[in-house]
Amino acid sequence: MGNRPSVGVISDSPLQRHNLQAALTTYGLKPLINCDPGRFEGLPAEQVGSIGCWILELENEDAWPDFIDTLIARSEAPILFGLGTAPERHGEEYPRWERRLFAKLTEEVGSVEMLDSAESLQSLVQPKAHQPLPLPESIRRNTLAESGQSQQPVERIWVLAASLGGPAAVKEFLDELPRGLPVAFIYAQHIDANFSSVLARVLARHSAFRLKEAQPGDQPKYGEVLMVPVQQEMIFDDKGCIEFKSTPWPGPYGPSIDQVMLNVANHFGARCGTILFSGMGNDGAIAAPLLRAYGSKIWVQNSASCANSSMPDSVQATGASSFSGTPRELAAHLVQDIEKTELLKPSR
C-alpha cells in the first residue's frame, strides 16, 4: 500500500490540535508531531526533518510573529495554513472543512487514503460457506423474468459505496442476495483504477448478480451491479443511460461518493437508496442528508463489522441513516424491504 505520508500539526489551540488529529486519523494518518509553537523549538532536528507536510493553525498570530520564519528555517516540508477553525465535528459544515483539508494535503503529498491492494482483493476468493437468502414468494410471483432479463425500467436502484475494507463487505453483502431479486446496483469504490477489473471478477464469484464496469450507454438492470469508473465522472441522461464526463470526479478521490449519490438521485429520485460500507474519511456525509430529505433510504454498515468505520460513522452522525447492520444483516433487510413493496402490488 506504500508508505503513509508523515504529517506534523502545530497550533496554539488545544482544541484545534485535537480536531486536526481526529480528522487525520479518519484517513489512517497519525501526526508524528502535534504541539503548540512554544514546544516546537525544543524538538530534535531528526524528528522535525522526518515530517513530509506541516499543518499550521494559529488563533493568536500576534503572539507568534516570527514562528513561520522559524518553521521554514528548520524544515523544508510544505506548510498548509489558513484552513480556519474546524467546525463542530457533527455539524453540517464539518464534512466540507475536512474535505478542504484533505484536498490541500493531497496536493502536497499525494493521495493519503489507504486503498485495498490487488493482494487483498485476491484473498477474497475462497469457497462459499453457505447458501444465499431465499427469494420470498411475493417477489417471485411479481418478478417479470429472471434477473437481468426484464426490459422494463428499473423501479429501484441502490448505490453501494465503500472505501478501505469495502470489497470484503460488499462481497459478503452480494453473496447473501438471492437470484431474481428485482434491484439494480451502482457500486462506487475508492480503489486504484488498475484493480477495477480484478475487483469485478472477485466480487462476481459466488454472487447471483452480474458485475460489470459501467460503460457509456449502459442502463441499470435488475440483477446487475454497475461499477463506477474511478477516473471520470459518471452521470445519467434523460433516458437513464450512462454518460461519462471528460472531467474527473470533484474532490481528492475518485469516484466521489457524494457526487455519485447526487448524480444517481438526480435521475432516479426517491427510487434510489444508498448503503455505505467500510471506509476511511467522510465521503457520503454531505449527500446523505440531502437524499434522505427527498425520500431516499440511507443505510450503513455497523462499526463493529467494518475494517474502518470512519465513512459509515460519519454518515450515521448526520442522522440520515435509518438502518445499520453487518453486511449479512443489510442484505436481509434489503430483501425484507423489497418484499414489503412487492406485497403492495397486484399479482402479475
Side-chain angles (χ1 to χ4, degrees):
M1 292 187 182
N3 295 324
R4 311 295 285 144
S6 53
V7 180
V9 173
I10 300 176
S11 175
D12 54 357
S13 164
L15 179 59
Q16 187 73 341
R17 292 198 300 271
H18 171 78
N19 288 341
L20 284 165
Q21 174 145 342
L24 292 167
T25 300
T26 65
Y27 283 82
L29 295 171
K30 184 178 180 180
L32 299 183
I33 294 174
N34 190 349
C35 67
D36 62 44
R39 289 184 52 215
F40 175 76
E41 288 194 16
L43 296 176
E46 182 179 347
Q47 188 176 6
V48 172
S50 69
I51 298 299
C53 182
W54 296 96
I55 300 175
L56 175 63
E57 285 297 329
L58 300 178
E59 290 189 356
N60 186 7
E61 294 183 13
D62 293 339
W64 312 98
D66 301 320
F67 182 74
I68 292 181
D69 290 338
T70 301
L71 181 57
I72 292 174
R74 293 200 64 193
S75 174
E76 296 181 356
I79 304 169
L80 303 182
F81 54 89
L83 293 167
T85 303
E88 200 280 320
R89 186 166 178 79
H90 300 315
E92 290 184 2
E93 290 303 312
Y94 184 85
R96 292 179 175 84
W97 172 87
E98 190 181 58
R99 202 69 52 80
R100 288 197 301 273
L101 167 64
F102 282 94
K104 288 181 175 292
L105 196 59
T106 299
E107 289 176 3
E108 298 297 342
V109 299
S111 178
V112 297
E113 186 181 34
M114 189 179 292
L115 301 175
D116 292 270
S117 65
E119 291 76 14
S120 68
L121 297 180
Q122 291 293 354
S123 70
L124 301 180
V125 180
Q126 53 188 326
K128 190 172 182 181
H130 61 281
Q131 295 297 314
L133 294 164
L135 185 68
E137 181 57 34
S138 60
I139 297 178
R140 189 186 308 277
R141 184 175 63 246
N142 278 357
T143 298
L144 282 173
E146 191 72 5
S147 291
Q149 299 303 312
S150 173
Q151 298 303 310
Q152 300 296 318
V154 297
E155 296 180 14
R156 61 181 66 83
I157 183 168
W158 282 78
V159 175
L160 308 179
S163 181
L164 180 66
V170 172
K171 179 169 175 54
E172 185 177 358
F173 168 82
L174 291 174
D175 286 355
E176 286 291 303
L177 298 178
R179 187 176 302 278
L181 194 67
V183 61
F185 294 112
I186 300 292
Y187 179 26
Q189 171 74 50
H190 290 175
I191 195 168
D192 188 305
N194 296 321
F195 300 157
S196 294
S197 59
V198 176
L199 180 61
R201 290 197 302 271
V202 168
L203 265 62
R205 187 177 175 86
H206 305 135
S207 176
F209 282 72
R210 177 177 178 241
L211 278 97
K212 179 179 183 294
E213 294 182 64
Q215 299 295 329
D218 285 344
Q219 286 183 295
K221 296 182 178 67
Y222 288 157
E224 189 171 76
V225 181
L226 289 177
M227 296 177 58
V228 177
V230 172
Q231 296 171 321
Q232 288 177 283
E233 183 175 352
M234 186 183 90
I235 59 175
F236 293 86
D237 66 15
D238 293 341
K239 296 181 180 180
C241 295
I242 286 174
E243 293 182 348
F244 288 175
K245 287 188 172 183
S246 59
T247 52
W249 293 97
Y253 303 112
S256 163
I257 289 169
D258 277 305
Q259 198 62 50
V260 170
M261 293 168 65
L262 293 170
N263 291 353
V264 174
N266 186 53
H267 179 79
F268 293 95
R271 288 183 290 157
C272 75
T274 301
I275 303 176
L276 294 110
F277 293 91
S278 176
M280 288 185 174
N282 65 12
D283 208 356
I286 294 174
L290 300 175
L291 269 63
R292 180 68 187 273
Y294 284 101
S296 293
K297 293 172 181 175
I298 307 292
W299 301 346
V300 299
Q301 183 179 353
N302 62 14
S303 300
S305 65
C306 287
N308 189 294
S309 66
S310 296
M311 193 166 75
D313 286 352
S314 295
V315 172
Q316 183 90 310
T318 68
S321 173
S322 59
F323 183 78
S324 174
T326 66
R328 291 184 182 182
E329 290 168 346
L330 289 162
H333 195 64
L334 179 61
V335 174
Q336 293 167 6
D337 185 78
I338 295 175
E339 183 180 18
K340 289 178 184 177
T341 304
E342 294 297 318
L343 283 170
L344 298 176
K345 293 181 179 180
S347 298
R348 295 190 179 104

